[in-house]
Amino acid sequence: ATPADVPTIHQFITDLAAFEKLSHDVHATESDLHDALFADPPAAEALLALTTDDTPAGFALYFHNYSTFAGKRGLYLEDLYVAPEFRNQGFGLALLTRIAQIAEERNCARFEWTVLDWNENAIQFYQNIGSNILPDWRICRMTKKEIASLANSPSPNS
């Protein structure tokens, strides 16, 4: 992705949030996205899937994480989205394949992402390409309110 692609990626993020029924959680602006993707160093990276006539069909946004067990960094896929009119045409697979190639080029130990438990089409797609859906792991998340509460709570040793 280039800086000129930021409005398109932002729109895809908005579309993804609507699909996931999470539009109320989207607070990122185009400026936020630009800063994340094009800072030095970037907080994240993005790929666009384009049709043969250069119409944006979807995007993937990913960043590095680190595995203490493997002793290597990995890639974490934050978002993968293909617009409805372009689904089942290979764009999602092309995006995932390119990120897997990047992970291999960078000697990453893992390539991970999450999937909503109700998104059966995505789960089947991911299983079909060889990913393992880990049944024993759950995501723990704190947002601004919870972070502030924990950060400002008295230390148990004070």
Side-chain angles (χ1 to χ4, degrees), residues 35-52:
D35 291 349
L37 295 175
F38 301 104
D40 184 22
E45 299 173 74
L47 298 173
L48 273 182
L50 303 173
T51 65
T52 55

Side-chain angles (χ1 to χ4, degrees), residues 33-103:
L33 188 57
H34 180 276
D35 291 349
L37 295 175
F38 301 104
D40 184 22
E45 299 173 74
L47 298 173
L48 273 182
L50 303 173
T51 65
T52 55
D53 67 353
D54 290 333
T55 302
F59 87 108
L61 190 139
Y62 58 97
F63 54 88
H64 280 283
N65 57 15
Y66 184 79
S67 168
T68 57
F69 286 13
K72 294 183 183 290
R73 64 185 180 167
L75 283 181
Y76 185 83
L77 176 65
E78 177 68 17
D79 288 328
L80 174 70
Y81 178 77
V82 176
E85 64 270 27
F86 297 111
R87 291 183 186 156
N88 300 310
Q89 297 179 36
F91 292 106
L93 180 58
L95 288 164
L96 287 171
T97 299
R98 181 62 191 126
I99 298 172
Q101 291 167 347
I102 292 167

Side-chain angles (χ1 to χ4, degrees), residues 118-135:
W118 56 260
N119 194 341
E120 291 297 330
N121 289 337
I123 290 169
Q124 187 64 48
F125 171 65
Y126 296 145
Q127 288 174 327
N128 286 344
I129 64 168
S131 73
N132 299 304
I133 310 294
L134 303 176

Side-chain angles (χ1 to χ4, degrees), residues 3 19 29 55 87 99 106 112 117 157:
F19 172 75
T29 65
T55 302
R87 291 183 186 156
I99 298 172
R106 296 179 185 178
E112 299 175 314
D117 63 355
N157 296 327

